Amino acid sequence: MAKVTILGATGNVGVFAAHTVSEIPYVSDMLLVGRPGREDFLAGCCRDLSDSFAARGTDVRLSYSTSLLDAKDSDIIICTAGVPRRPGQDRNDLAFENAKIVAGTAETIGRISPDAILFLVTNPVDVMTAVALKYSGLQPRQIFGLGTHLDSMRLKSLIARYFRVHVSEVHTRIIGEHGDSMVPLWSATTIGGIRIRNLPTFSGLPAQEMIETVRTSGEAIIRDKGATVYGPGEAIATLVRTILRDENRILTVSSYIKSEIHGIGDVCIGVPARINRDGVFPVPLSLEEDEVVGFRESVKKIRTVTADVMERLEEAR
Ligand SMILES: NC(=O)c1ccc[n+]([C@@H]2O[C@H](COP(=O)([O-])OP(=O)(O)OC[C@H]3O[C@@H](n4cnc5c(N)ncnc54)[C@H](O)[C@@H]3O)[C@@H](O)[C@H]2O)c1
Ligand SMILES: O=C(O)C[C@H](O)C(=O)O
């Protein structure tokens, strides 16, 4: 049984993630952490969630706090704390402001919960994963970000709809930045176990249009309804379940790579990783030429933003 803590629990993603994660049978304790001044909201969330537990027969000890120190002894800490982008902004515009929050948070977590797995949702998530890795002092296997898992799910859903098959028949991945430079892996995309490129109907697939839809999906949802909530909330639960049930699933998350992909490394970025109770382990893989080119570009971009943020953080401290 496990203790899961959600940081930023008063936010759009935090509130819904509390609901989805509480459904995982291995979760015995859940702590919602918000900022001082938000005690009433947090208490209300706990009461409201408890009602849902009663309705569905969930047995989770639920508590809230405005002190990060209460996250001590957590098995998984999910960080959704930070500012979201507004319409017209890029995720990378949030980098320094959110890095300040994540660096301080990660330092404390490294001290109070050295065995925890720290799961970053805050954007820009690849950069935040690198900041958390540096400031927490935790092992790379203990730190990961939602990365391109959500993008991969978005593409999976578009492909399933196009071919009129159940989503479970589609396997696909997007690697690289959770952002404009993301790279779809058509070479690793299958439908019913058949490589998508071997299907006669592949030639008519509007691949570029689909990727553009995925790239702009977050922005479009934010413009229309203010925040992306259900997609990230369910994606968070999938990852927490994968860890707690020790499932060894291979999901595409932001993780530190040394040189696993065509010798490219020393960066936190979206890659396929084996995920289990011990954490997150990037899977070495070979890509096709155009995919390597795209991945290198994406790595270059993330490295530049990360280096800039790290430098500004050092100056500000
Ligand atoms: N990686 C992904 O796929 C993904 C998906 C959705 C949202 N996000 C990101 O998650 C973050 C939260 O999104 P949201 O829509 O829930 O935003 P929100 O504004 O609804 O909630 C933000 C939360 O962070 C807290 N917070 C803000 N500033 C803080 C500070 N200085 N210290 C501590 N806590 C602070 C707030 O109190 C609130 O609980 C954003 O950065 C957003 O871009 C990432
Ligand atoms: O797009 C955003 O800013 C939120 C999130 O990263 C998403 O893709 O839903």
Side-chain angles (χ1 to χ4, degrees):
M1 299 310 272
K3 171 175 172 179
V4 178
T5 294
I6 300 182
L7 312 179
T10 61
N12 284 303
V13 177
V15 167
F16 186 61
H19 180 71
T20 58
V21 169
S22 70
E23 282 186 309
I24 300 168
Y26 290 73
V27 177
S28 55
D29 294 82
M30 191 156 78
L31 173 68
L32 306 185
V33 178
R35 285 193 284 180
R38 301 291 278 152
E39 291 82 355
D40 288 351
F41 185 91
L42 289 163
C45 276
C46 285
R47 278 196 297 272
D48 197 11
L49 274 171
S50 295
D51 290 349
S52 79
F53 293 176
R56 64 182 193 215
T58 303
D59 187 16
V60 177
R61 270 187 301 275
L62 193 56
S63 55
Y64 71 87
S65 174
T66 54
S67 168
L68 183 54
L69 298 180
D70 288 324
K72 188 172 168 14
D73 298 331
S74 296
D75 295 281
I76 302 179
I77 299 172
I78 306 164
C79 179
T80 71
V83 291
R85 63 175 164 160
R86 292 184 301 277
Q89 276 189 311
D90 186 275
R91 296 181 186 93
N92 288 317
D93 295 339
L94 314 171
F96 184 54
E97 195 170 348
N98 283 343
K100 286 186 283 184
I101 300 169
V102 169
T105 302
E107 255 175 7
T108 306
I109 289 169
R111 210 176 54 244
I112 63 168
S113 260
D115 297 324
I117 290 176
L118 176 53
F119 173 5
L120 280 303
V121 178
T122 308
N123 272 322
V125 71
D126 302 296
V127 180
M128 295 306 115
T129 306
V131 168
L133 180 62
K134 173 171 176 184
Y135 285 90
S136 66
L138 299 181
Q139 300 295 316
R141 68 171 174 83
Q142 293 174 272
I143 310 260
F144 75 102
L146 189 51
T148 42
H149 176 65
L150 181 55
D151 305 298
S152 301
M153 292 304 106
R154 286 172 173 155
L155 181 58
K156 181 182 172 103
S157 149
L158 292 175
I159 294 172
R161 250 182 281 159
Y162 181 84
F163 286 98
R164 299 180 62 201
V165 294
H166 193 272
V167 279
S168 64
E169 294 296 333
V170 180
H171 278 85
T172 191
R173 290 184 192 283
I174 290 181
I175 60 169
E177 178 194 13
H178 174 54
D180 288 347
S181 69
M182 63 178 70
V183 183
L185 296 189
W186 294 110
S187 64
T189 302
T190 59
I191 298 178
I194 301 160
R195 280 173 62 127
I196 194 168
R197 283 181 173 148
N198 292 347
L199 294 171
T201 40
F202 178 69
S203 57
L205 184 81
Q208 280 314 319
E209 221 175 275
M210 281 183 173
I211 293 307
E212 201 43 35
T213 302
V214 172
R215 258 190 206 116
T216 53
S217 195
E219 188 185 336
I221 296 168
I222 290 170
R223 191 184 55 231
D224 291 345
K225 69 178 276 283
T228 67
V229 173
Y230 304 120
E234 292 295 346
I236 289 167
T238 299
L239 286 154
V240 172
R241 192 181 302 111
T242 302
I243 295 166
L244 294 181
R245 286 173 42 177
D246 202 21
E247 285 178 344
N248 281 300
R249 283 186 76 184
I250 296 179
L251 299 170
T252 319
V253 293
S254 190
S255 180
Y256 176 76
I257 50 167
K258 269 205 295 269
S259 62
E260 286 84 345
I261 300 185
H262 289 261
I264 305 166
D266 195 23
V267 68
C268 290
I269 200 158
V271 290
R274 176 192 294 276
I275 302 176
N276 59 34
R277 190 83 198 207
D278 293 327
V280 170
F281 304 89
V283 176
L285 79 160
S286 348
L287 305 172
E288 294 194 349
E289 200 45 50
D290 58 327
E291 296 167 345
V292 181
V293 171
F295 187 63
R296 272 193 207 287
E297 284 297 307
S298 196
V299 165
K300 195 169 150 199
K301 179 179 172 191
I302 290 299
R303 275 217 190 101
T304 305
V305 183
T306 305
D308 175 61
V309 162
M310 295 292 192
E311 199 180 310
R312 291 175 68 191
L313 274 178
E314 285 304 307
E315 277 167 17
R317 284 174 154 247

